[in-house]
Amino acid sequence: MTISFDLDDTLIPGRIQFPFERQYLWHKMISRERLRKGSILLIRQLKKEGCKVYVYTTSLRSPMYIRCLFLSYGIWLDKVINKTVHDRILGKQGQQVSKLPVAFSIDLHVDDSAGVALEGQQYNFATVIVGGEDSWAEKVMETIRNSML
Ligand SMILES: [Mg+2]
């Protein structure tokens, strides 16, 4: 199973604020951005269960930077899709939709945006929408478990 995560307001705070993972000196050397509390445990668990983990963001952060940020937390991302990759792979279709996880063989996409959930209904891809709740990781895990039944 392949799971993708949005960055802004899902794993990295912006409009929505949430607690962070613990930060060490080497994180500060790579970035001022910090991952949301619970990200490491959730992603490690997913990988342990054989899932592939992608980041799918409409931001222009470079894939190399995103990879390094996650690596500083000990997480290897299987793929990074940013706005540039989205536009390049999807061409004209990419302009009509903010995200199209099915085009990248993603089974479930985690995001904070209700708009992405609507696009999921329209373009037939599965989403789980999380907000600022502390139990966000449990919500993701529960959705995955249910979809595996
Ligand atoms: Mg977002």
Side-chain angles (χ1 to χ4, degrees):
M1 194 171 185
T2 301
I3 323 281
S4 60
F5 289 88
D6 169 50
L7 285 186
D8 291 303
D9 294 315
T10 300
L11 293 187
I12 293 175
R15 192 173 41 82
I16 304 175
Q17 290 298 315
F18 32 64
F20 301 112
E21 292 286 6
R22 191 168 170 190
Q23 195 180 34
Y24 294 95
L25 185 63
W26 57 86
H27 296 129
K28 291 181 191 152
M29 289 161 70
I30 288 167
S31 172
R32 279 165 48 198
E33 296 191 296
R34 297 172 67 177
L35 288 187
R36 181 176 196 169
K37 191 169 185 208
S39 307
I40 301 175
L41 202 66
L42 174 63
I43 293 173
R44 280 202 189 136
Q45 184 66 31
L46 292 174
K47 294 217 154 218
K48 215 168 101 186
E49 296 187 15
C51 294
K52 282 189 177 150
V53 176
Y54 295 2
V55 158
Y56 192 163
T57 170
T58 46
S59 78
L60 289 167
R61 293 180 186 88
S62 79
M64 181 63 97
Y65 162 73
I66 295 169
R67 266 190 196 291
C68 287
L69 175 65
F70 279 77
L71 261 182
S72 75
Y73 288 93
I75 295 167
W76 172 255
L77 292 171
D78 294 286
K79 191 181 274 189
V80 177
I81 302 151
N82 69 354
K83 172 99 171 73
T84 314
V85 175
H86 169 95
D87 289 346
R88 192 179 65 227
I89 301 292
L90 296 172
K92 264 211 156 72
Q93 197 185 16
Q95 295 165 14
Q96 291 158 13
V97 59
S98 68
K99 282 170 187 164
L100 194 57
V102 278
F104 299 93
S105 304
I106 292 162
D107 300 297
L108 180 72
H109 175 70
V110 184
D111 209 290
D112 66 289
S113 160
V116 171
L118 284 175
E119 287 179 338
Q121 288 169 16
Q122 197 180 345
Y123 293 93
N124 205 24
F125 61 83
T127 57
V128 52
I129 304 303
V130 294
E133 68 269 29
D134 286 341
S135 60
W136 71 281
E138 286 84 355
K139 189 176 175 183
V140 173
M141 219 43 183
E142 204 179 317
T143 309
I144 292 167
R145 300 240 187 275
N146 289 338
S147 71
M148 279 173 162
L149 295 177

